[in-house]
Amino acid sequence: MILIDKVVRGKTRSDKYHLYAIGDAHIGARNCAESYLRRLVSKIKDDPNALWIGGGDLLNAVKPQDSKRFDMDSLPDWVLEGKADTVRSRLKDIVKQEQDRATTLLDPIKDKSLGLIEGNHEFSIGHWYNVDVHQQLCDSLGLANLTDAAFIRLRFTRGSSGRTVVVFICHGHGGGRTSGSEPNKLFRLAADKDADIILSGHSHTFCIHPPIVTLHVPPSGALPKECLAKYKRPANWGSWLRSYAAGASTYDSRACYPARSLSTLEVCIEPHKCVVHGGANSGQISISELVL
């Protein structure tokens, strides 16, 4: 885990920021919905107040030695295009091709990133093949390595005033194919995290949990008329994989994975907006589905 302190300097009381997590893209899998991912990159690039965090499994990172998951039919067309010598060269190091493609795709928005979380697919390459592909991807983009999880303190300043929003992000764990499994997992994840926003992925299931409310009173000073409320907002960003892609079978379709929503989370932060219900000084925060 790593701790990050980020100062964001604003200009007006109406400043509005959008935070995105880009994870579970699995670049290098044939069923990666890369066109959707490119639309998100374009949206972030065009938004002067956008921020994003890499959520892990940006790369598919499955080598031929992985007898359980590797399948030649699951390779995307871009790996196999070109002259024979070019294709041979790519096939010698498939993960490096994925890393290069991810670098090219994300380069236009690298200046808006808070760093990259490592996913289980990147971790497996380091664990089994002694290649730290996650660090290599961070280096190629010039971004911070956020390890497996990060607490990020966003300090939004405007003149002499400011508001702080705390974000906890991890790649996530576990699966589940029922509608109730993801909310339960998010609730458990948020239970011991004192953060305004809690983001995870891994399961490929898009889910926005209702705000978790913690009541409290100030430890000193005059008591308020009512209990103050602090909100935790947990959510899972889903994935950019089609469970059922036209063409040859894939790992996902053979496992009969549920059809996934090709949408993602958009966290809207209005740090200088007064919130009537709140005791925490974090402005207005909302999480919604972004359909691209």
Side-chain angles (χ1 to χ4, degrees):
M1 190 187 76
I2 196 167
L3 308 180
I4 298 289
D5 195 30
K6 171 71 173 179
V7 176
V8 181
R9 304 192 187 282
K11 296 179 180 179
T12 69
R13 183 180 293 276
S14 60
D15 285 340
K16 183 183 294 187
Y17 300 88
H18 295 106
L19 175 66
Y20 304 93
I22 303 179
D24 294 286
H26 293 273
I27 294 170
R30 186 177 62 80
N31 53 327
C32 169
E34 196 173 290
S35 61
Y36 286 76
L37 183 58
R38 291 181 182 276
R39 289 177 213 168
L40 176 58
V41 169
S42 179
K43 181 177 178 63
I44 293 172
K45 179 183 177 182
D46 294 339
D47 183 352
N49 287 339
L51 299 166
W52 68 277
I53 312 168
D57 284 2
L58 284 168
L59 313 181
N60 197 45
V62 176
K63 285 180 169 285
Q65 296 91 327
D66 188 338
S67 59
K68 177 182 177 182
R69 292 185 295 181
F70 182 79
D71 181 357
M72 191 67 72
D73 284 338
S74 292
L75 293 177
D77 290 346
W78 58 262
V79 170
L80 305 172
E81 291 172 345
K83 295 181 179 180
D85 286 345
T86 302
V87 174
R88 287 193 192 98
S89 177
R90 291 193 190 121
L91 292 177
K92 286 180 180 178
D93 193 342
I94 294 170
V95 177
K96 179 62 166 60
Q97 306 307 313
E98 297 173 355
Q99 178 192 323
D100 291 346
R101 193 168 182 89
T103 300
T104 300
L105 193 153
L106 297 171
D107 185 76
I109 58 171
K110 64 183 181 182
D111 60 318
K112 298 183 177 185
S113 179
L114 302 173
L116 306 181
I117 289 286
E118 181 182 53
N120 60 292
H121 277 236
E122 290 94 355
F123 173 81
S124 294
I125 295 297
H127 179 74
W128 293 109
Y129 307 106
N130 195 34
V131 178
D132 193 348
V133 67
H134 177 64
Q135 184 63 61
Q136 290 176 1
L137 181 59
C138 291
D139 291 343
S140 67
L141 287 165
L143 299 180
N145 183 342
L146 301 183
T147 69
D148 64 321
F151 263 107
I152 303 172
R153 187 170 62 183
L154 296 174
R155 292 191 287 146
F156 297 94
T157 64
R158 183 181 62 86
S160 59
S161 63
R163 296 283 177 89
T164 298
V165 174
V166 177
V167 180
F168 176 82
I169 183 169
C170 64
H171 178 65
H173 72 284
R177 305 194 184 196
T178 63
S179 58
S181 61
E182 199 64 35
N184 287 334
K185 190 172 66 174
L186 285 169
F187 185 87
R188 292 193 298 269
L189 179 65
D192 60 351
K193 313 294 188 305
D194 186 11
D196 302 292
I197 302 164
I198 298 162
L199 303 176
S200 71
H202 181 69
S203 67
H204 296 187
T205 303
F206 179 89
C207 181
I208 301 174
H209 194 287
I212 299 172
V213 184
T214 302
L215 298 177
H216 67 103
V217 295
S220 60
L223 283 175
K225 293 181 179 180
E226 298 286 351
C227 291
L228 301 179
K230 182 171 183 179
Y231 284 24
K232 296 180 183 180
R233 296 172 176 83
N236 191 309
W237 54 73
S239 78
W240 299 106
L241 278 179
R242 293 184 174 89
S243 300
Y244 299 89
S249 63
T250 64
Y251 182 85
D252 304 77
S253 60
R254 282 194 298 273
C256 295
Y257 284 160
R260 305 299 188 186
S261 169
L262 294 178
S263 55
T264 193
L265 302 171
E266 183 175 63
V267 183
C268 180
I269 304 172
E270 298 176 80
H272 308 298
K273 185 174 182 180
C274 180
V275 182
V276 176
H277 65 247
N281 195 24
S282 57
Q284 176 68 47
I285 302 170
S286 61
I287 302 180
S288 60
E289 179 185 16
L290 174 64
V291 180
L292 295 162

